[in-house]
Amino acid sequence: MVNDFIFQFAESQDLFLNGMCYYFALILRERFGGEICYAPIDNHFIARIDDRLYDASGDVTDLYTVYVPWDEYIDIDPIHADRIIKSCILKVC
């Protein structure tokens, strides 16, 4: 179900994997519930839905072992989170 939805964005996959990953995770969270997570090693946002991880390429559960719910990461490392917000989330492409 989630992968079928993601497939509709195949033509925009490059955009959502290179700079706009937060917004794709937001789309997935709004559509399917779950939460937005941040993978600090890869500097990448993913959506956790029903204990599976997704980004614009589909189910990436096997690719990410280190990730933190974004709401928690903001509290864990607020200085870095602020930089991510300014340089990634609020970035104009």
Side-chain angles (χ1 to χ4, degrees):
M1 185 170 173
V2 177
N3 278 323
D4 292 338
F5 179 78
I6 292 170
F7 181 73
Q8 297 176 55
F9 293 88
E11 291 182 18
S12 303
Q13 184 181 54
D14 189 54
L15 174 69
F16 286 121
L17 291 175
N18 297 293
M20 302 297 283
C21 57
Y22 172 83
Y23 293 102
F24 198 77
L26 180 64
I27 290 167
L28 292 177
R29 185 193 71 190
E30 292 301 312
R31 177 70 169 82
F32 297 101
E35 63 186 330
I36 296 173
C37 295
Y38 177 67
I41 294 171
D42 299 295
N43 190 35
H44 187 58
F45 287 96
I46 50 184
R48 184 167 67 182
I49 302 164
D50 297 328
D51 293 323
R52 304 295 299 173
L53 303 174
Y54 299 92
D55 70 7
S57 64
D59 188 327
V60 293
T61 303
D62 295 337
L63 298 177
Y64 294 98
T65 56
V66 177
Y67 62 91
V68 180
W70 179 239
D71 292 340
E72 291 179 26
Y73 193 80
I74 292 171
D75 293 331
I76 293 169
D77 193 343
I79 293 171
H80 186 234
D82 187 56
R83 281 191 300 222
I84 293 168
I85 291 168
K86 290 176 182 172
S87 66
C88 294
I89 296 173
L90 297 179
K91 172 182 153 188
V92 176
C93 291

